Short mmCIF file of all heavy atoms in Angstrom, two decimals:
data_model
loop_
_atom_site.label_atom_id
_atom_site.label_comp_id
_atom_site.label_asym_id
_atom_site.label_seq_id
_atom_site.Cartn_x
_atom_site.Cartn_y
_atom_site.Cartn_z
N LEU A 31 84.58 156.49 113.63
CA LEU A 31 84.79 155.48 114.67
C LEU A 31 86.28 155.51 114.99
O LEU A 31 87.12 155.19 114.13
CB LEU A 31 84.37 154.09 114.19
CG LEU A 31 82.86 153.82 114.12
CD1 LEU A 31 82.60 152.47 113.45
CD2 LEU A 31 82.25 153.83 115.53
N LEU A 32 86.62 155.90 116.20
CA LEU A 32 88.02 156.14 116.55
C LEU A 32 88.74 154.87 116.99
O LEU A 32 88.11 153.93 117.48
CB LEU A 32 88.09 157.18 117.67
CG LEU A 32 87.57 158.57 117.33
CD1 LEU A 32 87.56 159.45 118.57
CD2 LEU A 32 88.43 159.21 116.23
N PRO A 33 90.06 154.82 116.82
CA PRO A 33 90.83 153.69 117.31
C PRO A 33 90.56 153.44 118.79
O PRO A 33 90.56 154.37 119.60
CB PRO A 33 92.28 154.14 117.09
CG PRO A 33 92.20 155.07 115.92
CD PRO A 33 90.91 155.82 116.12
N GLY A 34 90.29 152.17 119.11
CA GLY A 34 89.99 151.80 120.49
C GLY A 34 88.52 151.83 120.85
O GLY A 34 88.13 151.36 121.92
N GLU A 35 87.68 152.35 119.95
CA GLU A 35 86.25 152.46 120.25
C GLU A 35 85.59 151.08 120.20
O GLU A 35 85.84 150.28 119.29
CB GLU A 35 85.58 153.40 119.26
CG GLU A 35 84.14 153.72 119.62
CD GLU A 35 83.59 154.92 118.87
OE1 GLU A 35 84.39 155.65 118.24
OE2 GLU A 35 82.36 155.13 118.93
N THR A 36 84.72 150.82 121.17
CA THR A 36 84.03 149.54 121.26
C THR A 36 82.93 149.43 120.22
O THR A 36 82.22 150.40 119.95
CB THR A 36 83.42 149.36 122.66
OG1 THR A 36 84.48 149.37 123.63
CG2 THR A 36 82.66 148.05 122.78
N LEU A 37 82.80 148.25 119.64
CA LEU A 37 81.74 147.97 118.67
C LEU A 37 80.77 146.98 119.29
O LEU A 37 81.12 145.82 119.52
CB LEU A 37 82.34 147.39 117.38
CG LEU A 37 83.33 148.28 116.62
CD1 LEU A 37 83.91 147.52 115.44
CD2 LEU A 37 82.66 149.56 116.16
N ASN A 38 79.59 147.45 119.58
CA ASN A 38 78.56 146.61 120.19
C ASN A 38 77.65 146.06 119.09
O ASN A 38 76.94 146.83 118.42
CB ASN A 38 77.75 147.44 121.20
CG ASN A 38 76.73 146.61 121.94
OD1 ASN A 38 75.78 146.13 121.34
ND2 ASN A 38 76.93 146.45 123.24
N GLU A 39 77.68 144.75 118.90
CA GLU A 39 76.94 144.15 117.79
C GLU A 39 75.44 144.37 117.90
O GLU A 39 74.76 144.61 116.89
CB GLU A 39 77.27 142.66 117.69
CG GLU A 39 78.69 142.39 117.24
CD GLU A 39 78.95 140.91 117.03
OE1 GLU A 39 77.98 140.12 117.04
OE2 GLU A 39 80.13 140.54 116.85
N ALA A 40 74.91 144.28 119.10
CA ALA A 40 73.47 144.47 119.29
C ALA A 40 73.07 145.90 118.94
O ALA A 40 72.04 146.14 118.27
CB ALA A 40 73.08 144.14 120.72
N GLU A 41 73.87 146.86 119.38
CA GLU A 41 73.59 148.27 119.08
C GLU A 41 73.69 148.54 117.58
O GLU A 41 72.86 149.24 117.00
CB GLU A 41 74.56 149.17 119.84
CG GLU A 41 74.30 150.65 119.67
CD GLU A 41 75.29 151.52 120.43
OE1 GLU A 41 76.11 150.98 121.21
OE2 GLU A 41 75.25 152.75 120.23
N LEU A 42 74.72 147.96 116.95
CA LEU A 42 74.90 148.16 115.52
C LEU A 42 73.76 147.52 114.72
O LEU A 42 73.29 148.09 113.73
CB LEU A 42 76.24 147.56 115.07
CG LEU A 42 77.48 148.33 115.53
CD1 LEU A 42 78.74 147.51 115.26
CD2 LEU A 42 77.57 149.68 114.82
#
Side-chain angles (χ1 to χ4, degrees):
L31 285 172
L32 296 174
E35 189 165 348
T36 298
L37 299 175
N38 184 294
E39 291 185 11
E41 184 180 353
L42 289 169

